[in-house]
Amino acid sequence: MSKNLSELSGRRGLQENLFEELGILARKDGTPETGEMDRLSEKFLFGKANIYGTATFYDFTKPENKNKKVYVCNGSACLTAGTQHHLHEKISEHFSAEEIGHMTCLGRCHENSSFHFDGKNYSACSDEQLNEIFKSKNARPLDNYHVESLGHAALTSPIGELENYFSLLKSWIDSGHDAMLAEIKTANIRGRGGAGFPMGFKLESCKNEPGETKFVVCNADEGDPGAYSDRYILEQRVHALLFGMMAAGFIIGAKWGVVYIRAEYPEAITITENAVRDLYERKWLGENIQGTGFNFDFKVIRAQGAYICGEETALLSSLEGQRPEVRTRPPFPTQRGLFNRPTVVNNVETLASIHYILEKGGKHYTSIGTEKSKGTKLVCLDSHFNRSGMYEVEMGTPLRVVVDELGKGFKHRVKAMQIGGPLGGIVPVSKIDSLTVDFESFAQNGFLLGHASVVCIPENFSLVEYVEHIFEFAAYESCGKCFPCRLGTQRGQEMFAKARTSDYKIPRVLLEDLLFTLTAGSLCAHGGGIPLPVKNALQYFPEEFDRVLESR
């Protein structure tokens, strides 16, 4: 990451964004032409190598994406469901191998057989429906999943009439920055993206930084296979997110909010853009909002396919048109973030919780949940459950309640669940009764709550194959900045692939050294987090790995 490039990118502000323009140039053929990138180099005063390096990083701008017409999901939930091989065969009847790409993941984990075609996502289609989709190009992508809350509904309750909904913001603006911040600090809400960092602390840190230009950035690059809670908010409760970003902007003194939405969620992008446009028409955005003196504008950015952009500093580099490599900290984004200006980065679920906190009060919010994990959490269940769907539960809810009462149990025999995305732990079903849905319970038991997405691993699915899949995913999605992650994840995938397909035995000392190096040496949680599920698998299912590991 270059501070100078950050400044150069920021000279044109958000209205003319280098990253956005690269994505637009790639829409025609799947990758921008060299001459077009040269013109961007001159316009933004970036070196040609910098522009090319950025374009070749992302799934949907790199040269390998040229002429791709359809994308098959290869996420963990679709993998363990076993639906994608047949889907790929059927798609191959309509498209050549060069026209078929992949996406990870499409957020259709509740029904699988997921693919992207002609700007839309589809799932659970019959062979006849597939033929009709590719024939007409006008098929409506159906998507149905169960949504339910258990206890307080902070995120799943209806928005209602918009003027009434946003009038709450006006009343709090009258109360002032400090009063609004104090209410959020009282609520003690922690980030829902995985790290669990206190939101109030982050807002206060940015508020106290000097500078006239600050930003609020929503990390809507929900890439964890198994998770679709952010997609739910973006598509069905988007005004809760926009309200939260406006409130955060008022607190820290920001005039711009950026919603960075993954390209794999095309419907969410359209819905968010329409909602922003509507708020401008209603005079709830722009200058002197509703006569309060508060100015705030939005920019919706379509991401281009990179899991690492879920890491906040990589996301900021991406927004600047640089390669999305993780930045060293300090300085933290609240000190030097987008375009080197103080920036608050939070995920969708966290920001969408602000309206409920300001409406009901911080003390009320602290009455929900556990001592250290306050409020509610959205949990996503995949297609292995009898009632897959997205559920809002209070922090501290027993995991057994989620599995049996909400999900109605498993459709078939399941031996483990990976909870919290590819960096989350692999939880054997024998541990269900030991866990509650909160940060502390999972950490104390050697797991990670993370995004609270649940991907089931059936009894007949090899954990050796699943660990290889985790390493393959991590290697493909690594930003490449640090050696332990860039090389270690690739070596992990190679070792397990070789052991799975031949009589090669992985030396236990070598594997232990690899996992230690990833944990201790990686720059961010991408490489540092991958060892957790691997260790869980080795700990709870040692008999499955005896065939591929050297004897003790």
Side-chain angles (χ1 to χ4, degrees):
M1 188 276 293
S2 166
K3 290 186 289 185
N4 292 334
L5 290 179
S6 297
E7 288 289 340
L8 285 173
S9 181
R11 288 174 63 185
R12 291 182 176 269
L14 286 166
Q15 293 92 330
E16 295 182 78
N17 181 262
L18 170 57
F19 176 69
E20 182 180 42
E21 292 193 21
L22 265 176
I24 292 172
L25 291 176
R27 289 179 188 174
K28 180 181 178 182
D29 297 316
T31 186
E33 298 294 335
T34 302
E36 295 171 332
M37 289 191 284
D38 289 346
R39 285 191 289 275
L40 286 184
S41 172
E42 295 175 4
K43 178 179 179 179
F44 288 90
L45 303 181
F46 270 47
K48 293 181 180 179
N50 298 101
I51 301 290
Y52 182 79
T54 296
T56 54
F57 186 93
Y58 298 94
D59 285 349
F60 310 129
T61 60
K62 62 174 58 173
E64 294 88 338
N65 188 53
K66 189 170 185 177
N67 297 324
K68 291 287 188 292
K69 295 182 179 179
V70 61
Y71 300 84
V72 178
C73 179
N74 64 351
S76 305
C78 282
L79 173 73
T80 63
T83 59
Q84 302 310 88
H85 179 71
H86 175 75
L87 175 65
H88 199 283
E89 284 186 340
K90 298 305 296 183
I91 289 177
S92 297
E93 296 176 3
H94 299 268
F95 300 94
S96 67
E98 292 73 23
E99 293 174 322
I100 303 174
H102 79 269
M103 283 187 175
T104 314
C105 107
L106 299 181
R108 298 297 187 97
C109 317
H110 54 284
E111 53 189 13
N112 309 123
S113 295
S114 311
F115 67 98
H116 176 96
F117 172 67
D118 197 33
K120 303 182 186 74
N121 289 343
Y122 299 89
S123 52
C125 297
S126 65
D127 292 351
E128 292 74 19
Q129 287 173 320
L130 284 176
N131 293 333
E132 183 61 28
I133 289 168
F134 297 136
K135 180 181 177 181
S136 69
K137 291 189 177 184
N138 293 316
R140 184 166 173 249
L142 300 176
D143 178 32
N144 297 302
Y145 55 92
H146 186 76
V147 177
E148 186 176 323
S149 62
L150 182 66
H152 291 84
L155 292 161
T156 54
S157 58
I159 296 294
E161 205 280 320
L162 286 184
E163 293 297 328
N164 290 336
Y165 190 82
F166 279 89
S167 66
L168 180 68
L169 179 64
K170 186 176 180 180
S171 64
W172 274 99
I173 287 175
D174 293 339
S175 299
H177 310 264
D178 293 334
M180 193 183 295
L181 174 61
E183 204 68 29
I184 293 174
K185 290 179 67 176
T186 298
N188 196 23
I189 180 174
R190 295 168 62 179
R192 295 331 198 214
F197 193 79
M199 185 188 197
F201 182 89
K202 186 181 290 189
L203 290 171
E204 185 172 37
S205 172
C206 192
K207 175 180 178 292
N208 292 338
E209 284 292 319
E212 293 184 5
T213 303
K214 299 180 181 182
F215 298 97
V216 175
V217 175
C218 174
N219 180 352
D221 196 45
E222 175 182 64
D224 288 345
Y228 46 98
S229 50
D230 286 359
R231 182 168 77 87
Y232 163 79
I233 293 173
L234 289 164
E235 293 179 2
Q236 300 190 39
R237 298 291 187 272
V238 67
H239 292 97
L241 166 65
L242 300 178
F243 179 100
M245 293 183 69
M246 293 169 70
F250 176 74
I251 290 171
I252 68 172
K255 297 179 181 179
W256 275 96
V258 182
V259 191
Y260 184 97
I261 309 177
R262 59 198 313 256
E264 294 88 342
Y265 287 177
E267 294 86 2
I269 295 171
T270 300
I271 290 169
T272 304
E273 289 175 338
N274 290 340
V276 167
R277 191 177 303 112
D278 180 57
L279 287 179
Y280 273 111
E281 292 175 357
R282 292 172 179 264
K283 309 300 181 184
W284 279 104
L285 288 174
E287 294 187 5
N288 191 25
I289 295 172
Q290 300 291 318
T292 61
F294 175 46
N295 305 327
F296 200 77
D297 290 284
F298 270 108
K299 180 76 172 182
V300 179
I301 294 287
R302 177 190 296 264
Q304 294 298 327
Y307 176 77
I308 196 61
C309 289
E311 198 282 335
E312 63 178 3
T313 64
L315 186 155
L316 295 175
S317 293
S318 176
L319 280 172
E320 294 170 352
Q322 303 191 60
R323 281 177 71 91
E325 294 182 345
V326 173
R327 304 178 182 182
T328 55
R329 286 165 286 194
F332 296 95
T334 55
Q335 299 168 307
R336 193 168 71 212
L338 183 61
F339 308 138
N340 290 332
R341 303 299 186 266
T343 304
V344 162
V345 184
N346 273 116
N347 92 314
V348 174
E349 187 176 339
T350 314
L351 289 161
S353 299
I354 291 180
H355 188 282
Y356 185 86
I357 292 171
L358 296 181
E359 180 185 32
K360 303 292 185 180
K363 288 185 178 180
H364 167 78
Y365 197 79
T366 59
S367 70
I368 308 169
T370 68
E371 180 183 356
K372 294 183 179 180
S373 298
K374 303 298 184 182
T376 65
K377 184 74 191 78
L378 299 180
V379 180
C380 299
L381 304 184
D382 72 1
S383 66
H384 293 286
F385 288 87
N386 283 308
R387 192 169 70 173
S388 58
M390 195 210 70
Y391 299 90
E392 181 175 14
V393 301
E394 296 180 0
M395 287 285 198
T397 299
L399 184 59
R400 175 63 68 185
V401 170
V402 174
V403 171
D404 288 347
E405 295 184 22
L406 298 178
K408 303 301 181 185
F410 304 115
K411 292 179 180 177
H412 38 246
R413 291 178 63 84
V414 166
K415 59 186 172 186
M417 303 174 289
Q418 186 169 29
I419 300 178
L423 311 181
I426 292 179
V427 180
V429 292
S430 61
K431 294 289 289 184
I432 290 176
D433 291 320
S434 304
L435 294 167
T436 54
V437 180
D438 57 80
F439 299 112
E440 287 68 43
S441 175
F442 272 70
Q444 290 165 5
N445 282 277
F447 307 114
L448 179 72
L449 178 63
H451 216 103
S453 55
V454 181
V455 173
C456 293
I457 303 173
E459 192 71 52
N460 61 357
F461 196 96
S462 166
L463 271 168
V464 173
E465 181 181 349
Y466 195 81
V467 166
E468 180 190 342
H469 161 73
I470 292 173
F471 271 122
E472 181 180 29
F473 173 86
Y476 183 86
E477 299 292 352
S478 173
C479 80
K481 184 167 184 175
C482 69
F483 289 133
C485 179
R486 185 173 75 196
L487 301 179
T489 53
Q490 182 66 37
R491 296 297 171 261
Q493 186 274 329
E494 291 169 354
M495 285 195 299
F496 275 93
K498 184 177 180 180
R500 186 176 59 82
T501 58
S502 71
D503 58 0
Y504 170 72
K505 302 283 188 180
I506 301 172
R508 291 180 184 269
V509 173
L510 180 62
L511 179 58
E512 290 169 1
D513 283 351
L514 174 64
L515 297 178
F516 172 80
T517 302
L518 281 165
T519 303
S522 295
L523 188 58
C524 79
H526 183 75
I530 286 298
L532 175 62
V534 179
K535 290 179 178 179
N536 290 153
L538 293 169
Q539 176 185 354
Y540 292 107
F541 302 93
E543 68 283 354
E544 291 203 36
F545 293 88
D546 287 342
R547 185 182 64 81
V548 298
L549 296 178
E550 283 186 351
S551 301
R552 295 185 184 277

